[in-house]
Amino acid sequence: MEAAEDWLVESLRLYQDFHAFDLSGATRVLEWIEDKGVFVAGYESLKKNEILHLVLPLRLSVKENQGLFPERDFKVCHGGFSDRSVFDLKHVPDTRLLVTSGLPGCYLQVWQVAEDSDVIKAVSTIAVHEKEASLWPRVAIFSSVAPGVLHGVRLSGLKVVDLASQKTTYTSGVSDSEELSSLQVLGADTFAFCCTSGRLGLVDTRQKWAPSENVSPSAGSRGGRWCAEVGGRGIASLCSDGQLCLLDPRDLCHPVSSVQCPVSTPSPDPELLRVTWAPGLDNCLAISGFDATVQVHDVMCWVGTEGQVEPLFTHRGHILLDGNAPDAAPLVTTHTWHPRKPRTLLSAASDASLHVWDWVDPRASR
């Protein structure tokens, strides 16, 4: 209890703003809709899981700190129920549609957020022909006049399906059975994939399957599982043992840098690994999925560095706010950066806690 009290006092210095909320169930989904709301969804098996559209408190929606506001909690704007676990959810830009993936993974589900009520209802499904009992399809959205859904469990099943007609508009056409860990749409005709082995690829759908890729996992990964994200500084690739590589999209075979993040143990659930670039800070990224913390790193500090690096900031609120002992602390299930506020992040944990925090750069006070 004393550690929690000390952290609460220390948080006045560490955070420009901090809010803690309790969801009805843990989520692996934090999907923005514009910059004032997020979607969350439960992932428990053998039960109905809520899908909720939450609107941020007004205090978090204004550009500057303008004093006190009466609304200090998230407001549930829309909601619905899924008969299966929801491991991923994507909002289709400029529409009221959502696409979810989870287990069982034999289909994707399309949902509509009602205009005249508070309901999120299922409207259709997209068949997934890869029948794998324990694996679920990764999903990304091509945003255009005719949106497309990119999905796949393995490289061999990777395809783009037109959301309206459900016609397949692109397939990998390969027999490669590598398991996918993440997909990311980069432009109108391009996307990136990451396999659990660390294999990365950049694909142009205007051409037959011929990705620019690094076929071999990064050196020193010791058989860990990987995820990746493309951002302004290149591609960040994170391993379940804490190894983090930066790659130039023009040369995926030779990492620009490779460092070891300070994690006490490998990720207990590599499905929850997450690395994200800050949209409003050129050199910062965040990682989670190892414990109850979220680490923020400045990649410019890595120049000429090998071996272990220290984070610029570590969010420990999921451990200390509820007085959890370190060995009983929850696991951070996901995090995301605010689209407009440069240092504001949302993070969720396995105890159903949801935090919104605006961290203070420790270098600013030096």
Side-chain angles (χ1 to χ4, degrees):
M1 192 66 181
E2 188 174 326
E5 292 173 352
D6 290 344
W7 180 83
L8 284 172
V9 174
E10 183 73 354
S11 69
L12 298 176
R13 180 181 64 84
L14 296 175
Y15 299 95
Q16 183 71 28
D17 214 343
F18 181 88
H19 299 258
F21 308 95
D22 291 318
L23 300 172
S24 58
T27 182
R28 288 169 55 162
V29 170
L30 288 172
E31 174 74 355
W32 286 100
I33 175 167
E34 299 176 338
D35 60 356
K36 295 182 175 65
V38 292
F39 291 100
V40 299
Y43 61 87
E44 292 188 48
S45 59
L46 304 177
K47 64 167 286 186
K48 285 184 178 291
N49 286 287
E50 279 189 300
I51 300 175
L52 299 176
H53 171 205
L54 305 177
V55 176
L56 271 65
L58 183 59
R59 178 184 174 88
L60 297 172
S61 301
V62 296
K63 292 182 179 179
E64 304 292 342
N65 186 350
Q66 299 178 4
L68 297 174
F69 291 92
E71 294 290 340
R72 296 191 57 82
D73 209 342
F74 274 104
K75 178 183 177 182
V76 177
C77 191
H78 297 88
F81 287 94
S82 171
D83 290 328
R84 60 181 189 155
S85 54
V86 178
F87 292 160
D88 199 3
L89 180 153
K90 300 297 183 189
H91 171 239
V92 182
D94 302 319
T95 76
R96 303 185 70 85
L97 299 177
L98 313 173
V99 179
T100 61
S101 181
L103 288 175
C106 52
Y107 61 92
L108 306 177
Q109 199 146 19
V110 182
W111 304 77
Q112 186 169 49
V113 181
E115 285 191 81
D116 54 357
S117 73
D118 60 1
V119 175
I120 299 174
K121 63 178 181 179
V123 291
S124 64
T125 60
I126 298 173
V128 174
H129 300 295
E130 301 163 279
K131 309 299 184 185
E132 308 228 19
S134 61
L135 301 179
W136 54 278
R138 270 46 181 178
V139 182
I141 304 295
F142 278 98
S143 175
S144 65
V145 176
V149 181
L150 170 67
H151 68 87
V153 175
R154 301 181 185 274
L155 283 178
S156 56
L158 199 53
K159 63 177 62 177
V160 180
V161 175
D162 180 86
L163 186 57
S165 67
Q166 298 213 5
K167 291 182 179 178
T168 299
T169 59
Y170 182 83
T171 64
S172 66
V174 295
S175 58
D176 199 317
S177 63
E178 284 248 31
E179 182 186 341
L180 292 162
S181 65
S182 57
L183 295 170
Q184 183 181 353
V185 169
L186 305 178
D189 305 292
T190 56
F191 69 87
F193 68 80
C194 179
C195 297
T196 57
S197 66
R199 180 176 172 183
L200 294 166
L202 303 175
V203 180
D204 188 331
T205 60
R206 293 166 296 187
Q207 304 169 0
K208 193 174 180 179
W209 179 263
S212 168
E213 61 180 318
N214 72 330
V215 176
S216 302
S218 301
S221 62
R222 299 182 291 276
R225 289 171 61 97
W226 294 79
C227 69
E229 182 169 284
V230 183
R233 284 283 173 179
I235 302 175
S237 183
L238 177 66
C239 183
S240 55
D241 65 5
Q243 185 182 353
L244 183 56
C245 298
L246 295 185
L247 301 101
D248 187 324
R250 297 165 296 184
D251 181 9
L252 296 180
C253 294
H254 302 94
V256 175
S257 60
S258 179
V259 298
Q260 178 66 38
C261 298
V263 297
S264 55
T265 60
S267 171
D269 186 353
E271 287 272 353
L272 301 180
L273 278 181
R274 189 148 168 78
V275 56
T276 59
W277 288 99
L281 300 171
D282 287 341
N283 307 314
C284 286
L285 55 76
I287 66 168
S288 65
F290 296 93
D291 49 27
T293 69
V294 181
Q295 296 181 16
V296 177
H297 290 265
D298 182 346
V299 301
M300 291 304 290
C301 298
W302 301 349
V303 176
T305 300
E306 292 184 1
Q308 183 161 308
V309 293
E310 292 302 318
L312 177 62
F313 185 90
T314 302
H315 175 59
R316 304 182 189 277
H318 292 285
I319 307 173
L320 297 169
L321 194 61
D322 295 323
N324 289 302
D327 58 350
L331 182 63
V332 170
T333 53
T334 189
H335 73 264
T336 185
W337 294 83
H338 193 287
R340 300 282 183 269
K341 292 175 173 281
R343 290 187 174 84
T344 297
L345 292 95
L346 276 67
S347 56
S350 55
D351 62 353
S353 58
L354 174 62
H355 291 178
V356 187
W357 40 284
D358 187 323
W359 56 282
V360 174
D361 189 333
R363 298 169 299 188
S365 59
R366 292 175 186 169

